[in-house]
Amino acid sequence: MSSKRALLLTTPNSYRTQDYVDAAARLGIEAVVAVDLPRTLAEEWNFPLGADFGRPVQASEQLIDALADSGGEENRYDAVLALDDSGSRVAALVAQKLGLPHNDPMAAEAARNKFRMRTMLAACGAPVPAFAEFRTGDNLKEIIARAEEAIGYPCVVKPEELNGSRGVIRANLRCELGAAVRRLTALIGDKQPFLIEGYIPGVEIALEGLLDRDRLHCLALFDKPDPLEGPYFEETIYVTPSRLHLETQNRIVETTEAAARGLGLQTGPIHAELRINDDGPWIVEVAGRSIGGLCSRILRFGMEVGNGSSLEDLILRQACGLPLESLERESQAGGVMMIPIPEAGILRRVNGVEEARRVAGIEDVQITARLDQSIVPLPEGDAYLGFIFAKGPSPAQVEESLRNAHGSLRFEVDPEFALAQ
Ligand code: ADP
């Protein structure tokens, strides 16, 4: 046993919690989970600690008090980790109070608010498109006139505080911009701030990394082989290693490292999305957290040491000050497909899962959407149907396995109105 103790901040339905709790158990780290729920509700859900992460200062004070109550040994914590963006500011504040390594709490704010992120990135000279802030419900003609002057077409309309590409809409023309703003208003309501920014052409990649004393170790660079050209931006396939030129990959890492530093990120996991075109890499976003959903399950590191480590193993080890054996990803290629929502309606059945699992190269297929529930595509929806995982000798083969497995799945979706009949 390592006799280390980590506080994990998460949300009640996070996909990420179990993988971290399992990793902590493997490493002999005692994991205490605090959830984004009022304390009494957290107890009902069987979480040891709870606080409203939406009010980060109060939440951090409540958690510090609760840790002190549970034995007066709050300083015994070796790490405080937010498993996704919702708890990152609270994690930074609690870690600061406990004297543990932490990110600048403002970096967590930037990860939660796209306008703040763009402002901070622009201020540190990171490559970002032109952007401006607007408010839903303001005169549409004026919004369009200002956006045309400051940004031009094509542009992207996006809410400041949603994630998973919700409400992100590309507009190529004035009429599309008007329609996009109306659609976003219906989603987020009146008098809400939102962004319009220049559309960045090019291919998109995701970088998974670990910041250690200001240095970024790139753990995996994922290509996204499906074109993400809008009008909505549904994530599908991620494949690593990247097929981009090595020099381009190095520039991506350098650009991300500089942007992370500019945001005040100093330690722990980094997840970044970038687009690359003839002008080089451009930052879409950089956050102090690891990859979302179940995607991390495709990553394995340090295979020369037995079965290797998961991404969560590495993150917990680093956070608790345990030695990191290897940050080298295994040599075979890996990929994951976030299964897109085929149409709006009630998901009745998913057929062909066993067939998909038997496709060469497929490691697993997990359907995470619940049957007999509504499924909503982007730009309004907020979930995938599930995940397909593949490994293989090359990125191209992994991509093919994922496409073949997805091709075996058949979704039975009833129209919503069937419920009322
Ligand atoms: P979220 O945090 O909701 O995922 P992002 O700002 O990361 O929102 O945008 C989601 C996706 O939309 C990105 O991964 C990218 O494919 C696309 N996107 C966002 N902004 C731009 C942009 N300025 N130019 C081109 N594509 C963009």
Side-chain angles (χ1 to χ4, degrees), residues 57-75:
V57 175
Q58 286 97 323
S60 64
E61 284 162 4
Q62 279 170 13
L63 290 175
I64 293 279
D65 288 347
L67 299 182
D69 285 350
S70 61
E73 295 183 303
E74 72 267 39
N75 287 322

Side-chain angles (χ1 to χ4, degrees), residues 114 118 129 156 158 162-166 168 197-200 204 224 228 233 235 273 275 284-285:
K114 297 189 206 307
R118 283 281 177 254
V156 177
K158 50 168 90 170
L162 295 182
N163 45 39
S165 305
R166 286 185 80 201
V168 179
E197 62 182 38
Y199 174 80
I200 314 162
E204 187 162 315
K224 303 186 184 185
L228 281 160
F233 298 90
E235 300 266 33
E273 314 270 346
R275 287 192 161 222
V284 178
E285 64 176 353

Side-chain angles (χ1 to χ4, degrees), residues 193-365:
F194 69 96
L195 272 184
I196 302 180
E197 62 182 38
Y199 174 80
I200 314 162
V203 294
E204 187 162 315
I205 59 93
L207 182 151
E208 207 54 29
L210 204 55
L211 265 180
D212 197 18
R213 277 170 250 117
D214 259 6
R215 262 218 62 209
L216 179 64
H217 299 276
C218 178
L219 299 174
L221 206 53
F222 288 99
D223 289 338
K224 303 186 184 185
D226 278 338
L228 281 160
E229 290 168 354
Y232 317 123
F233 298 90
E234 188 168 49
E235 300 266 33
T236 53
I237 294 182
Y238 276 43
V239 180
T240 191
S242 171
R243 283 169 269 182
L244 291 173
H245 201 281
L246 208 56
E247 199 180 306
T248 309
Q249 297 191 28
N250 290 338
R251 284 187 68 191
I252 291 169
V253 178
E254 281 162 22
T255 307
T256 308
E257 186 179 80
R261 210 174 281 142
L263 289 173
L265 292 167
Q266 281 147 20
T267 184
I270 292 281
H271 179 81
E273 314 270 346
L274 293 94
R275 287 192 161 222
I276 297 94
N277 56 37
D278 291 345
D279 296 328
W282 294 73
I283 305 275
V284 178
E285 64 176 353
V286 179
R289 61 168 169 85
S290 56
I291 193 168
L294 299 178
C295 298
S296 73
R297 292 191 183 171
I298 205 60
L299 295 175
R300 228 47 228 172
F301 302 89
M303 299 295 282
E304 69 278 13
V305 193
N307 212 2
S309 311
S310 69
L311 179 65
E312 294 76 19
D313 289 339
L314 296 188
I315 294 171
L316 278 166
R317 276 181 168 281
Q318 190 219 19
C320 289
L322 294 171
L324 288 167
E325 272 144 8
S326 168
L327 298 177
E328 197 69 32
R329 206 186 62 75
E330 66 180 314
S331 56
Q332 64 179 333
V336 54
M337 180 176 198
M338 287 156 257
I339 305 172
I341 292 190
E343 59 186 302
I346 309 283
L347 179 67
R348 295 296 184 201
R349 263 174 81 84
V350 182
N351 298 307
V353 174
E354 282 313 315
E355 201 182 322
R357 284 198 178 117
R358 283 195 298 271
V359 168
I362 294 300
E363 300 250 303
D364 196 12
V365 179

